[in-house]
Amino acid sequence: MQLIGMLDSPYVRRVAVALIAAGVPFEHKPISLFRHIDQFSAINPLLKAPTLVTDDGTVLIDSTLILDYCVATVPAMRALTPANPQDLPRALRLAGVALAVMEKAVQQHYERALRPADKRHQPWVDRIAGQLHQGLAALDRELPPAGFIAGPLGLADIAAACALGFVTGTIGDLVDVAPYPNLAAFAARAEALPAFRAAPAVDGVTAALAL
Amino acid sequence: MQLIGMLDSPYVRRVAVALIAAGVPFEHKPISLFRHIDQFSAINPLLKAPTLVTDDGTVLIDSTLILDYCVATVPAMRALTPANPQDLPRALRLAGVALAVMEKAVQQHYERALRPADKRHQPWVDRIAGQLHQGLAALDRELPPAGFIAGPLGLADIAAACALGFVTGTIGDLVDVAPYPNLAAFAARAEALPAFRAAPAVDGVTAALAL
């Protein structure tokens, strides 16, 4: 299968890291939603990253649904879901908080990157910044001080680390993450793993095929 | 469990309709993200709808993860996923397209509803309007001309109908849906079902408990 999109998107990166961590082979095409519109449009005219093209040619959209597809169809992916069903609600909660952090961080990035200064709207920025900090605080409070959420690395851990990676990498000058040391230590543990290092949060291609 | 959020959100509505369609009991609290901030914040300070509070008090965020939780923990919900695994990729594709339509429609709504006129940015509006129409066109082309995607009503059908319901109900003056008659007929079939009628796409409470 093919994963389409740049790793500077936390949504693309969470899928890439998950596939690499589970040892699932895939081809990564780092095509930009902004700089390579014609090329992206030929694969998916909705211009949404990540896009996953399955081996039978189905074009999937939405990182969570893409991961649902992978878990349902690739047995190795199940190692990234809680082995104990009792851990599922907490894992899904923290994945949801991580997705909210990604969304609010992307909105803050877009407000600055895609609008001239006179089209930015401070009440909107204040609202999403408040939500972003609530999300970071929840992750900082609820993530484990050692190890990962449900034992081995899982999808929720990957989402949480990718969320913080996007915040610090893309809007780090706007958001002070000093109040969230437990989240930072958690993300550092994740970022040290081979699967994260193979899919760095920058423009570029995964090192997946070289693993 | 409790579902928190207004049914004018297509994300809240897709969860409500799914729970009702599967016969899962829940309490609906139609609390607004904008008009009842203090009340919402007391339940979920991230201010994200839908929020699902599970019976053990876990506060879940993100409509897709909430539905993943329900499918994993409530046996009746499995009737809303494809019985034949071969139907899964197409169902997930169409659910993803429906989510993209919701996202672009919400972005278009927010651009108008949450910003004064001089803070709106036409290149952004043009971009998301283009994506919205690509999504509507894909649904129109790919949804079945009779019945539902994988036989009985499922999560992807619910997402597609809720997406069109939001477009016509909230930004219907901005978006011409006349080019999408197959999608309109599909959504009309869904909207005629009791589960959809019990959770209308307007401010208000589900009729779930009266079913």
Side-chain angles (χ1 to χ4, degrees):
Chain A
M1 52 196 173
Q2 295 179 341
L3 176 64
I4 319 296
M6 312 289 290
L7 295 173
D8 57 357
S9 156
Y11 301 103
V12 176
R13 192 178 183 223
R14 71 185 286 234
V15 175
V17 170
L19 292 172
I20 298 167
V24 179
F26 67 103
E27 182 185 357
H28 179 219
K29 294 195 170 178
I31 303 172
S32 168
L33 285 174
F34 294 97
R35 298 194 308 281
H36 318 128
I37 289 185
D38 290 350
Q39 205 182 342
F40 208 116
S41 188
I43 299 168
N44 181 1
L46 271 82
L47 296 174
K48 290 281 294 174
T51 289
L52 188 86
V53 184
T54 69
D55 289 342
D56 73 356
T58 304
V59 177
L60 299 177
I61 301 171
D62 184 275
S63 65
T64 302
L65 293 176
I66 287 170
L67 291 169
D68 281 354
Y69 168 81
C70 294
V71 169
T73 60
V74 185
M77 287 289 292
R78 281 167 221 162
L80 300 178
T81 63
N84 183 342
Q86 289 183 330
D87 291 328
L88 184 68
R90 185 159 166 262
L92 290 176
R93 164 170 171 74
L94 291 168
V97 174
L99 287 175
V101 167
M102 290 181 194
E103 182 188 78
K104 298 303 155 187
V106 167
Q107 286 173 340
Q108 209 161 330
H109 171 54
Y110 277 11
E111 189 76 11
R112 175 167 67 175
L114 298 183
R115 289 176 192 269
D118 66 332
K119 298 295 186 187
R120 295 174 199 152
H121 187 45
Q122 197 57 41
W124 170 250
V125 173
D126 292 344
R127 182 179 178 100
I128 58 182
Q131 290 175 287
L132 178 60
H133 278 287
Q134 288 288 348
L136 292 168
L139 292 176
D140 186 66
R141 195 167 53 237
E142 297 177 39
L143 286 168
F148 295 107
I149 294 165
L153 183 78
L155 294 176
D157 303 300
I158 293 168
C162 288
L164 186 68
F166 181 77
V167 169
T168 56
T170 305
I171 55 168
D173 57 322
L174 299 178
V175 180
D176 178 14
V177 298
Y180 314 116
N182 186 49
L183 169 58
F186 175 93
R189 282 198 297 284
E191 295 285 356
L193 298 174
F196 279 83
R197 285 189 281 112
V202 292
D203 277 9
V205 70
T206 54
L209 301 179
L211 276 184
Chain B
M1 54 196 174
Q2 296 180 339
L3 175 64
I4 319 295
M6 311 290 288
L7 295 173
D8 58 356
S9 156
Y11 301 104
V12 176
R13 191 178 184 223
R14 73 186 283 234
V15 175
V17 171
L19 292 172
I20 297 167
V24 179
F26 66 103
E27 182 185 359
H28 178 219
K29 293 194 170 180
I31 303 173
S32 167
L33 286 173
F34 294 97
R35 297 194 308 281
H36 318 126
I37 290 185
D38 290 349
Q39 205 182 342
F40 208 115
S41 188
I43 299 168
N44 181 2
L46 271 83
L47 294 174
K48 290 281 293 174
T51 290
L52 188 86
V53 184
T54 70
D55 289 342
D56 73 354
T58 304
V59 177
L60 299 177
I61 301 172
D62 185 275
S63 65
T64 302
L65 293 176
I66 286 170
L67 291 170
D68 281 354
Y69 168 81
C70 294
V71 169
T73 60
V74 184
M77 287 289 292
R78 282 167 220 163
L80 300 178
T81 63
N84 183 342
Q86 289 184 330
D87 291 329
L88 184 68
R90 183 159 167 263
L92 290 176
R93 163 169 172 73
L94 290 169
V97 173
L99 287 175
V101 167
M102 290 181 195
E103 181 189 79
K104 298 303 154 188
V106 168
Q107 286 173 339
Q108 210 161 329
H109 172 55
Y110 277 11
E111 189 76 11
R112 174 166 70 174
L114 299 182
R115 290 176 191 270
D118 66 332
K119 298 294 186 187
R120 296 174 198 152
H121 187 44
Q122 197 57 42
W124 169 251
V125 173
D126 292 344
R127 182 179 178 100
I128 58 182
Q131 291 174 287
L132 177 60
H133 278 287
Q134 289 288 348
L136 292 169
L139 292 176
D140 187 67
R141 198 168 51 236
E142 298 177 40
L143 286 168
F148 294 107
I149 294 166
L153 182 79
L155 294 175
D157 303 301
I158 293 169
C162 288
L164 186 67
F166 181 77
V167 169
T168 55
T170 305
I171 55 169
D173 58 320
L174 298 177
V175 181
D176 178 13
V177 298
Y180 315 115
N182 186 49
L183 169 57
F186 175 93
R189 281 198 297 284
E191 295 285 356
L193 299 173
F196 279 83
R197 285 188 283 114
V202 292
D203 277 11
V205 69
T206 54
L209 300 179
L211 276 184

